[in-house]
Amino acid sequence: MESDVVIADPLQVVTLLDELELNFDRLVEVVRYAEGERALCTKNDRKGFDLILMNDKAARGLREMFCGDRWAPDETDNQAGIRNSHIKVRVIHCNFDKNAGNPDAEPTNLVGKGTASRAKVACNRTPWIPGLPIPEPSEGEYTTYVLGTYSDENSLRAELSRPRSFVGGRYSRFEPRIILLDGSEGAPISGSKPADNRPTEIIDITIKRK
């Protein structure tokens, strides 16, 4: 079985992102922003809404951070993201499993995907050799990168990856996997939870009549 091409060295990460006309700090800020919004969800939200919200806010963050002269909003196949028509690259978000950002384990999407994701992966099948330019797609097509994220109580993990295989509704085989957050950075930002309308402290105030 062929292994993924993993880019985790900070200098190599920054260099490769520069080639994609992306920025490491801005991508991390997008992930942290989206996670902060997702963290506002409670058990009273509908099942799966936290993943929907994470996906929406990540797309919004990508647009607010990168759209301008080179990048534009993209809604191809109803998958929100951004696209760069100059270098034919598209970036979308996906909720990954616990292996996101782990250089030693291959991740995949947390929830199964459909034909839209399959079609995008079909444009990514040309192999990539580290040190050489990332293969360009056929005329009129885009190479799609997935901003994969995962969080739990202890860590936030993220990577920007180019999937080359799609089987049974799942991404697999990534060339490359660009590690953004490997979980060693600490617990994710929890955000501000909605108030529960109960006082946190009771203070007796004496009112004197004049």
Side-chain angles (χ1 to χ4, degrees), residues 42-197:
T42 73
K43 63 181 180 181
N44 294 320
D45 286 299
R46 57 168 287 190
K47 184 178 180 180
F49 180 69
D50 57 335
L51 300 181
I52 296 172
L53 186 62
M54 184 74 182
N55 188 273
D56 174 76
K57 297 307 179 183
R60 173 181 170 177
L62 285 168
R63 293 171 177 183
E64 292 183 347
M65 282 292 175
F66 294 103
C67 285
D69 294 336
R70 303 290 290 182
W71 291 90
D74 185 65
E75 293 280 350
T76 302
D77 297 323
N78 202 34
Q79 291 184 315
I82 58 176
R83 72 175 186 272
N84 187 320
S85 60
H86 304 278
I87 59 174
K88 297 297 183 182
V89 169
R90 176 188 292 113
V91 180
I92 59 175
H93 171 264
C94 182
N95 292 290
F96 271 12
D97 63 15
K98 64 182 181 179
N99 291 333
N102 182 352
D104 300 318
E106 183 179 84
T108 190
N109 37 301
L110 198 58
V111 179
K113 297 290 184 180
T115 55
S117 295
R118 182 188 302 276
K120 289 182 173 66
V121 171
C123 300
N124 290 354
R125 288 179 177 164
T126 303
W128 176 67
I129 300 175
L132 296 180
I134 294 173
E136 295 183 2
S138 302
E139 185 175 357
E141 296 180 340
Y142 281 73
T143 293
T144 298
Y145 280 80
V146 176
L147 179 60
T149 62
Y150 178 85
S151 66
D152 54 30
E153 294 181 355
N154 301 312
S155 64
L156 174 61
R157 299 190 282 281
E159 60 184 78
L160 185 72
S161 296
R162 174 178 172 264
R164 287 192 54 221
S165 178
F166 186 82
V167 178
R170 304 283 174 177
Y171 292 124
S172 62
R173 290 290 319 286
F174 299 92
E175 288 184 0
R177 290 179 60 203
I178 306 172
I179 306 301
L180 303 174
L181 298 170
D182 63 8
S184 64
E185 297 81 8
I189 300 171
S190 61
S192 300
K193 295 290 185 181
D196 61 7
N197 297 319

Side-chain angles (χ1 to χ4, degrees), residues 201-207:
E201 185 177 1
I202 298 175
I203 301 175
D204 291 327
I205 302 176
T206 301
I207 301 177

